[in-house]
Amino acid sequence: MTATGSTRPLDATHAAVRVEDVYDTDFDDLWTACTTPDRLSRWIARVSGELRPGGTVEAVFTSTWSGALRVESCEAPHHLLLTAAPDTDEETEIEAWLSAEGSRTRLVVEERGLPADQAPFYGAGWQVHLEDLGRSLALGETVHPDGWSSEAAAPAWQARWAELTPAYRSADRG
């Protein structure tokens, strides 16, 4: 697994995080892992609701983030656009693109509109999510058997996030 990520300013108060990795699986399998509740719960979040354009889902991420995600665009199996915390001051956009690389599939995820001073923390978090996806694909099962909630992160997610955060903070300082 070679997930990589970066942050960039959007303006004086907002930033974007971009992470990507290439997985040893095809489009359909990766798309299913990113868009179906049972597969999402193996690596990133428990979700319920309407997973269709215009629909809203409620999610609890392994990182503790919880809230509504509105599906803006869903162009299987290449593109997904979500609005997190829609119609609030914390609203962000999460966009994912899939592309073929031979028999493998690249996933790029970008979240835009984050508080600029928090971008390194989100960057580390998204990198852990993509690393977890790789492990889930390899195992075919959950990578967080100890569970998580909106109050307590998945222990393995938390440990890896703490490990990665200093590098993202260092890179953010330029």
Side-chain angles (χ1 to χ4, degrees):
M1 287 168 261
T2 57
T4 60
S6 62
T7 64
R8 72 177 193 285
L10 296 175
D11 59 34
T13 59
H14 296 94
V17 168
R18 183 182 180 98
V19 291
E20 61 185 276
D21 202 349
V22 179
Y23 300 96
D24 290 322
T25 193
D26 62 31
F27 266 100
D28 291 333
D29 185 49
L30 190 57
W31 182 258
T32 300
C34 294
T35 59
T36 60
D38 63 316
R39 296 286 298 275
L40 287 164
S41 69
R42 293 180 187 181
W43 64 279
I44 191 169
R46 288 187 301 273
V47 299
S48 62
E50 298 180 58
L51 287 163
R52 60 165 182 75
T56 300
V57 297
E58 290 294 322
V60 179
F61 279 65
T62 57
S63 61
T64 71
W65 186 89
S66 62
L69 296 162
R70 185 174 56 224
V71 181
E72 305 295 347
S73 178
C74 183
E75 301 162 19
H78 300 283
H79 179 247
L80 182 65
L81 176 62
L82 307 170
T83 298
D87 305 317
T88 71
D89 291 341
E90 291 82 35
E91 181 177 292
T92 65
E93 286 187 333
I94 302 169
E95 195 160 13
W97 301 270
L98 283 74
S99 60
E101 295 210 358
S103 62
R104 304 172 78 203
T105 306
R106 177 176 297 276
L107 173 64
V108 177
V109 176
E110 185 170 279
E111 185 169 8
R112 297 179 295 275
L114 298 164
D117 63 340
Q118 298 298 305
F121 304 104
Y122 283 91
W126 273 109
Q127 181 172 332
V128 179
H129 289 317
L130 266 61
E131 290 175 358
D132 286 347
L133 171 58
R135 280 191 292 283
S136 172
L137 291 167
L139 294 170
E141 60 186 40
T142 185
V143 296
H144 297 294
D146 297 330
W148 68 89
S149 71
S150 58
E151 290 82 36
W157 184 94
Q158 182 74 37
R160 181 65 175 142
W161 175 82
E163 189 179 312
L164 289 172
T165 297
Y168 274 87
R169 292 184 77 193
S170 226
D172 193 54
R173 290 190 188 117

